[in-house]
Amino acid sequence: MGTTTPTSRVRIRVVTVFAEILQELLLGSCPVGPLPCRAATRAYPSIYISPGQRASGTATDHPNDYLCQCGSSFSVNNKWSFSLFARHALEERNAGLPSDHIGTSAKVIYAAAPAMGHNQESHPECNSRVPAILTALEKMKLTSKFRGLDVVEVQNFRPATTDDIRSVHAGPYISGLEKAMYQASEKGLIFIEGSGPTYATATTFQESLLAAGAGISLVDSVVAASKVSKDPPVAFALIRPPGHHAVPKGPMGFCVFGNIAIAARYAQRAHGLKRVFIIDFDVHHGNGTNDAFYEDPDIFFLSTHQAGSYPGTGKIDQIGSGSGEGSTLNLPLPGGSGDTAMRKVFDEVIVPCAQRFKPDIILVSAGYDAHLLDPLASFQFTTGTYYMLASSIKQLAKDLCGGRCVFFLEGGYNLTSLSNSVAETFRAFLGEWSLAAELDDPSYLHEEPLNKVKQIIEKVKHIHSF
C-alpha cells in the first residue's frame, strides 16, 4: 500500500462517522436528513475499512460515486443512497475493539476525530486544528511510522451512542440537536448557542458522536492495557468539537457534547472505575464538566483557569454541593500566570488533592489556549509548561491509579503553539527530553504575578483543608 499523507489520513479517519449514518439507513430513517451532495463528498472522500486496509476513495464515472478496494461501489447524493458497500462497512466496523490492537510495549496511544465537516473558516475553533497537530506529529517523527509500536493510533473506534451522551446531557437537548441538522443542511451553518458563539453544520451531530466515541475507545484501550502491564500507555483523544463548556442542557463556548464527562461516566459504568479525577488546565473554566459532577462525590473536578475569563464561572468558593461538597476545586489564577505559577499549583494543589482522593483513573481536559501566543486569553504558558504538565500527570497516574490516564483536546487556537505543545506532550509521554528550548522564545515572557498566585494557593488550601 502506498504512503499516505497526514491530510489523507485525516480524511480516512473522518469517514468512520459513516457507520452510524449507514446503520440508520439500513435499519431505519437517517438521523441527519438529506444533505447536499457537495458537502457530503467533501467531508467523506474515502472510506475506512479496517486497521490493515484502507479504501481507495477512487471516483467512478459519476462524480458522487466512489469505489471501495473490495470492489463494491457506493454513491453519495441528496437521498443518501448506498449500495452493498453499506453492510460491508458496518461489518468491518464491528470487527474488534481498539484494545485488541494495542501491544504491551506501547507508550502512547491516540485517536483523531478532526470533524472536517464541522467548520466555519473565520471561527477560531475551525477544522484546521487537528490536522495541524497531526502534521506536526508527523514532521517531528512522533507517529508510529517513525516510532513503531511505541506510538499507536487507534483508528477503528466507534461513535458514542445516544445512551452514552445521555449519561451527561439531557434527552431534549440531544434530540433537539439531532433535529437541528435538517436546518443546518439547508442553511449550511447555524448558530446553536450565542455566548461562544457555538455553530453547527450538517455533520455536527454525527461528528460530535465520533469525538465522544474516540474518548470512550481510549478509555477501553487504557483499561485493557493496565490489566497486562504495570506501565500502560497514556492516551490522547485529538478530537473536536471540544467539550468542557457544554452543559448538561445544551452547547456552550464552541463545545457540543462534554467528551470528558461522557468518558468519566463510561469509565464508571463499563469498567467499574468508581473514582474519577479530572484535571482541567484549559485557560477557560470547564463549566460544563463542573456542572455535570457538582453533586457527585465520586468524580473530583479540578480546574485551573484565568480569573475573569470566559465564561465567568469557576470561583474559588465553588466547591460542589450536597454529597459532592468538596469534590470540586476551582483555582482562578491571575492573568500573566505562567510556568512557575503552574509548577507551584501542580506541586501544592493538584498532587495533594489527587493523593487524598485516591482515583481509579485520571482524565485530563488538555486545553492549549493558556499558551503565551494564544489569542483568546492572557496566560503565558510555554511549550515547556505543557511538557511539565504531561510528564507530571503521567507520573501521578502511575503512582495513584496504575497509570490509567487519558487526555482530551479542548482549546488552543494558535495553530503553531497548539501543535508544538501537543508534540511536547507526546514527548513527555514517551519519556524523552523536551525540545521546548528550541520552540519557545523567552523574550516574549514577562514577570509572573507570583505573590497573587501564592495568596490564591493558600486560600484554596484553607478552603479544602490540605
Side-chain angles (χ1 to χ4, degrees):
M1 182 175 65
T3 301
T4 56
T5 65
T7 301
S8 65
R9 284 198 299 276
V10 166
R11 292 170 177 166
I12 291 166
R13 292 188 203 98
V14 170
V15 80
T16 310
V17 74
F18 255 152
E20 288 294 307
I21 298 172
L22 295 174
Q23 187 173 29
E24 292 290 340
L25 280 167
L26 294 168
L27 304 178
S29 60
C30 177
V32 177
L35 300 182
C37 172
R38 184 173 62 256
T41 54
R42 181 179 67 250
Y44 311 114
S46 56
I47 295 297
Y48 175 76
I49 302 299
S50 69
Q53 179 185 15
R54 298 181 188 271
S56 63
T58 303
T60 57
D61 292 339
H62 190 278
N64 300 324
D65 290 342
Y66 287 81
L67 184 66
C68 170
Q69 284 182 338
C70 73
S72 301
S73 63
F74 64 97
S75 177
V76 183
N77 56 38
N78 287 332
K79 295 184 178 180
W80 286 93
S81 63
F82 295 87
S83 68
L84 179 63
F85 171 80
R87 290 193 182 276
H88 175 76
L90 288 174
E91 291 168 0
E92 291 291 342
R93 188 197 72 164
N94 293 311
L97 292 174
S99 56
D100 296 339
H101 304 287
I102 306 301
T104 56
S105 65
K107 296 179 180 178
V108 183
I109 57 175
Y110 70 99
M116 298 304 288
H118 175 80
N119 185 52
Q120 183 185 16
E121 292 296 341
S122 59
H123 198 284
E125 209 297 290
C126 65
N127 69 0
S128 300
R129 297 177 66 230
V130 174
I133 294 170
L134 296 172
T135 298
L137 293 176
E138 189 84 4
K139 181 179 179 180
M140 298 182 191
K141 299 182 179 180
L142 293 168
T143 63
S144 58
K145 175 181 176 181
F146 304 98
R147 300 306 183 101
L149 296 179
D150 282 352
V151 179
V152 177
E153 180 181 8
V154 174
Q155 292 180 320
N156 63 332
F157 58 87
R158 304 169 185 174
T161 66
T162 53
D163 284 341
D164 293 324
I165 307 301
R166 200 174 289 114
S167 69
V168 171
H169 294 286
Y173 165 50
I174 300 169
S175 59
L177 180 64
E178 190 172 14
K179 291 176 182 177
M181 296 300 96
Y182 291 96
Q183 182 184 3
S185 173
E186 294 176 355
K187 296 185 176 182
L189 184 142
I190 59 174
F191 288 95
I192 55 178
E193 184 271 333
S195 71
T198 309
Y199 65 86
T201 65
T203 61
T204 293
F205 185 78
Q206 290 295 334
E207 289 182 313
S208 297
L209 291 180
L210 192 64
I216 286 173
S217 291
L218 291 179
V219 169
D220 284 338
S221 298
V222 165
V223 171
S226 71
K227 293 178 179 179
V228 297
S229 173
K230 294 182 180 180
D231 190 19
V234 185
F236 204 139
L238 300 174
I239 56 178
R240 55 178 297 275
H244 73 151
H245 291 311
V247 296
K249 292 185 178 181
M252 188 174 176
F254 310 169
C255 302
V256 178
F257 293 145
N259 302 310
I260 198 168
I262 292 164
R265 287 296 186 215
Y266 178 83
Q268 291 179 318
R269 182 177 69 252
H271 296 291
L273 301 177
K274 181 181 179 181
R275 298 178 69 76
V276 182
F277 193 78
I278 299 176
I279 302 169
D280 187 331
F281 57 70
D282 190 281
V283 77
H284 304 106
H285 179 239
N287 60 297
T289 315
N290 182 102
D291 292 355
F293 305 126
Y294 205 63
E295 298 180 356
D296 191 333
D298 294 322
I299 296 183
F300 196 105
F301 175 67
L302 190 156
S303 175
T304 62
H305 47 275
Q306 183 179 331
S309 66
Y310 179 90
T313 53
K315 307 301 183 186
I316 199 168
D317 58 356
Q318 294 176 338
I319 62 171
S321 64
S323 60
E325 184 174 340
S327 62
T328 296
L329 189 153
N330 284 302
L331 191 61
L333 297 169
S337 296
D339 187 82
T340 302
M342 199 61 199
R343 288 175 186 271
K344 289 181 177 294
V345 167
F346 193 89
D347 292 340
E348 299 182 34
V349 178
I350 296 177
V351 170
C353 277
Q355 289 173 336
R356 185 170 66 179
F357 184 70
K358 296 180 174 62
D360 297 313
I361 188 171
I362 294 176
L363 305 181
V364 182
S365 273
Y368 293 88
D369 43 6
H371 195 282
L372 173 68
L373 299 180
D374 197 273
L376 297 190
S378 57
F379 269 9
Q380 48 178 343
F381 285 14
T382 64
T383 55
T385 311
Y386 291 112
Y387 177 91
M388 178 275 296
L389 283 169
S391 179
S392 300
I393 292 171
K394 175 187 175 182
Q395 185 61 48
L396 189 66
K398 186 175 181 179
D399 292 341
L400 300 181
C401 54
R404 290 183 289 271
C405 183
V406 183
F407 278 51
F408 294 74
L409 181 65
E410 299 287 359
Y413 307 103
N414 177 298
L415 297 184
T416 300
S417 62
L418 169 65
S419 55
N420 285 342
S421 298
V422 173
E424 280 297 286
T425 300
F426 270 52
R427 286 194 184 92
F429 293 164
L430 288 165
E432 298 180 356
W433 292 104
S434 171
L435 297 182
E438 302 176 14
L439 301 169
D440 294 327
D441 185 351
S443 67
Y444 288 108
L445 300 174
H446 54 86
E447 186 177 358
E448 296 183 47
L450 295 180
N451 287 334
K452 290 184 178 179
V453 170
K454 182 179 179 180
Q455 293 171 7
I456 293 167
I457 289 175
E458 292 305 315
K459 185 175 181 178
V460 82
K461 282 182 177 181
H462 175 73
I463 291 173
H464 287 269
S465 303
F466 63 84

